[in-house]
Amino acid sequence: MNEITESVLAYRECVRHLWNSYFLRVNWVESEWDYREYFDDISRRLFEQTVVKQVSEGSSVEQTSTGFYPTIRVVPCLGPLGLEALWGKAQGTTTEWQVIQLKSAEHEFHFIDFFDWTVERTMDHQYCRVRLTKSQELAAYLGCDFLLESPHVQFFTSS
């Protein structure tokens, strides 16, 4: 696996700056969702330019139909007591986030995007949203989304 943490964190900083410096201050005539969709489209394009094109070297780095990148693995940096994370329990159109303690490094998480609780104020993208695809310890949570604190993860590609 090739480490791509620097490229992914450059993307994080780019979209944070774009939102906080420009989108947050624009007086949009359309609804909030219109400009949010516009921002999401720009974010996807930035991800393609700052991460995908930089790390793919001819191999495919594409998002699955369920929203994660199977070729971008996210590895939590566990401390001596593990790492606190949040796992998402779908509740209709919303997600209920619950605290869980990660105790081992045997889990396989894949990148979805960065996450922030708000779109009304400045964004920090404090969390990295990931999908759990392999784990013996957390077998009941396979296919669930997790939030891992962005400063406590590393990113790798299998290309």
Side-chain angles (χ1 to χ4, degrees):
M1 290 193 314
N2 299 319
E3 185 173 359
I4 59 168
T5 303
E6 189 175 313
S7 294
V8 178
L9 292 180
Y11 160 74
R12 174 185 176 225
E13 184 57 38
C14 186
V15 293
R16 284 173 55 201
H17 179 72
L18 180 65
W19 178 266
N20 295 334
S21 297
Y22 302 102
F23 275 78
L24 190 60
R25 291 165 177 70
V26 173
N27 183 13
W28 292 88
V29 177
E30 301 111 16
S31 74
E32 172 191 334
W33 294 112
D34 289 338
Y35 79 86
R36 182 64 194 191
E37 287 177 18
Y38 186 67
F39 175 76
D40 290 344
D41 184 52
I42 292 171
S43 295
R44 278 189 294 279
R45 292 175 190 269
L46 284 170
F47 185 76
E48 290 170 6
Q49 295 300 314
T50 59
V51 178
V52 174
K53 283 190 176 180
Q54 301 299 316
V55 302
S56 65
E57 299 175 10
S59 64
S60 179
V61 178
E62 294 181 14
Q63 205 170 19
T64 66
S65 61
T66 58
F68 69 95
Y69 291 88
T71 56
I72 300 178
R73 185 155 177 211
V74 181
V75 178
C77 302
L78 301 174
L81 301 176
L83 180 70
E84 192 172 87
L86 298 168
W87 73 275
K89 182 178 180 183
Q91 299 287 328
T93 59
T94 62
T95 303
E96 178 185 327
W97 296 99
Q98 299 180 5
V99 176
I100 191 168
Q101 190 74 17
L102 303 178
K103 298 175 184 170
S104 73
E106 62 92 15
H107 315 296
E108 194 167 302
F109 294 105
H110 294 277
F111 184 71
I112 296 174
D113 204 349
F114 288 102
F115 178 86
D116 215 306
W117 296 110
T118 183
V119 294
E120 293 87 26
R121 297 185 307 272
T122 57
M123 278 192 211
D124 186 43
H125 287 313
Q126 176 184 359
Y127 294 98
C128 178
R129 189 171 185 160
V130 297
R131 177 83 36 87
L132 180 65
T133 60
K134 186 178 180 183
S135 176
Q136 291 180 3
E137 178 185 338
L138 301 175
Y141 301 96
L142 289 175
C144 290
D145 289 0
F146 283 70
L147 296 179
L148 306 174
E149 288 195 60
S150 299
H152 302 290
V153 297
Q154 292 179 303
F155 301 87
F156 297 88
T157 184
S158 56
S159 62

